[in-house]
């Protein structure tokens, strides 16, 4: 069975939210994210995360 044309690869999220500072910086705007600074990988702040989801969503 072939994948739908607008299916994108699974986006991995950091496994846990941070309990408090220090927070990881957003890779796009450098603002604090909800994720711990110790998380290795791509982290996005809530605004950039929402904009990225909107940008990559299937338009129908």
């Amino acid at each position: 069975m072939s994948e739908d044309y607008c299916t994108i690869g699974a986006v991995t999220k950091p496994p846990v939210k941070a309990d408090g500072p220090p927070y990881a910086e957003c890779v796009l705007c450098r603002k604090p994210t909800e994720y711990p600074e110790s998380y290795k990988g791509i982290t996005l702040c809530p605004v950039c995360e929402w904009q990225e989801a909107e940008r990559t969503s299937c338009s129908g």
Side-chain angles (χ1 to χ4, degrees):
M1 180 181 242
S2 67
E3 289 188 35
D4 189 68
Y5 73 93
C6 64
T7 300
I8 58 172
V11 177
T12 58
K13 291 270 189 194
V16 292
K17 303 279 183 176
D19 291 330
Y23 298 107
E25 287 186 347
C26 176
V27 296
L28 299 177
C29 70
R30 315 279 293 170
K31 291 183 182 176
T33 67
E34 299 174 340
Y35 306 110
E37 191 174 62
S38 62
Y39 177 74
K40 302 295 183 210
I42 296 173
T43 53
L44 298 173
C45 71
V47 172
C48 290
E49 202 169 285
W50 180 79
Q51 289 173 341
E52 184 68 11
E54 186 177 64
R55 184 183 72 78
T56 59
S57 69
C58 182
S59 61

